[in-house]
Amino acid sequence: MRRRTVLATAILAAVATPGIARAADPGPAVSKKGTTQLDPQAIFFVSYDGLVNNNSFQKNGLLTYKGYQYAVWYTSTGNAVVGRRALTASSWSTVTLSHVLKTSDSHNVISMGVSKVDGRLHLNMDSHSDGYFYVKSVAGLLDNPATTAWTSAVFGAVQTSMDGLALTSQFTYPQFVSTPEGRLQLSYRVGISGNGRNALAEYDGSSWTALGEWSSSTGTYTSSHGSSTARNMYLHGIDYDVNGRLHSFFTWREQNAAVMCNSGGITNHDTGYVYSTDRGRTWRNDAGTQVATTGTSDTVAVTDSGLVVDSLNPDHSLMNQECQWTDSTGLPHAIISYVPGRFGQCTTNYVADRTANGRAFHVRKNASGTWNKTEIPVALNSSQRTKLVLDKYDNAYAVFPFGRIAAASKASGYTDWTVLYDGSDLNAFGEVVIDEPRTKYDNVLSFMYQEKSSGTTPSALHVVDFALPA
């Protein structure tokens, strides 16, 4: 691992410079198309302030491919279910898998991926720093959905490896991403919170290969309060752009609470950014300097220079695993959230303080290579995460907890954030799961949400659709 100096200054501008858009491009807008019900009684328990069926880091709990939409969730009895519908249909067909949720932990989500090279649907589920469960469909299932029966026969057995590839016994946060060639990659964490590493595996249509770890848990981070020698990099996402570049925003979480002003906070600090031009084999900082080679000892470390694009100490309850997107030209965007300094310089209860005073910020790189940051003038009213979507005109939409939607136009330089939908008719619990591919497929913002409940009383799980500018 090569050691580099910590970035000394943030390069993020607090006020955005106006962007340029064609005169004919419309601004952001949403029009509610309708809601479908996945399950009248999905499992409900609150863990880590979230739900197992609706966690922001779930990629993908809902996705669209070739005119059909797919969803995964756990029923009231904990059974894993895969659903599908034609985008024109109002009802879902479901297959109940043999797997049952092993513990009431909201980290143990189900994530889906598509290997375009062979038309398979892949699922990874039910893991939090321990063993995972994997299922894949028959080849061609997603290529010919109208002529393929949706039954348990199209899914293989539940496995505890990736077709014999074990990966790790401390596995968390599965995120599938399709490469431009149609292969499927799996991003995951090895280790535990505060002491973990990011890793990649890849499926080529015949077998899985472990590419290895690419981030480091070692090195010394020092705040004004104390030091920490272990951590993990929490990803806001991992996504290919239109040019084939792989992007990832992240935050660091330190293991040692000594870096905080108060033990009731959270040790997350700084927003960083890296990218890869060779399908995740090597990683570069914003300046283009190589900072890691996947599967070697040279991995992305907190001591590497040029990683931080928004500097923030651990005293503001910065949220991990928020969201990111790339626009029509390949420029990276993210939403981050924390308690701004105007509400104080030391959070003492990260859930209560984020709920009372948390705000979301839109962070993005413009065409000139400058990083910009704009506060979205919407109170979080929640400790939870916000999702980001860009439409085909590169207008930005933030989907807040409870299904609220705010948006800003590219033409304004993303400075005119306005609430377009208040979510009051959804009765949503908190975080939502976005159908990322659908926005690009047919200009529809589609997300999965679960109704509020209490205790462990099951509640209805839905998908709601909003038309975006045509």
Side-chain angles (χ1 to χ4, degrees), residues 421-434:
Y421 174 71
D422 70 5
S424 59
D425 58 329
L426 299 182
N427 192 35
F429 170 82
E431 290 180 6
V432 303
V433 172
I434 299 287

Side-chain angles (χ1 to χ4, degrees), residues 116-201:
K116 298 178 182 179
V117 67
D118 61 359
R120 293 183 194 267
L121 183 66
H122 301 250
L123 281 67
N124 191 295
M125 54 190 168
D126 203 359
S127 61
H128 185 193
S129 302
D130 55 8
Y132 58 85
F133 299 87
Y134 169 65
V135 174
K136 71 176 182 182
S137 76
V138 296
L141 175 67
L142 303 190
D143 292 331
N144 303 289
T147 58
T148 306
W150 191 247
T151 68
S152 58
V154 302
F155 290 96
V158 177
Q159 307 177 48
T160 54
S161 69
M162 307 300 290
D163 289 337
L165 180 66
L167 296 181
T168 176
S169 60
Q170 290 185 314
F171 181 101
T172 317
Y173 305 127
Q175 295 192 56
F176 288 108
V177 58
S178 297
T179 72
E181 300 82 15
R183 296 185 178 192
L184 183 65
Q185 293 180 323
L186 174 63
S187 168
Y188 59 98
R189 186 186 73 190
V190 179
I192 62 174
S193 178
N195 191 8
R197 290 90 61 202
N198 290 312
L200 286 171

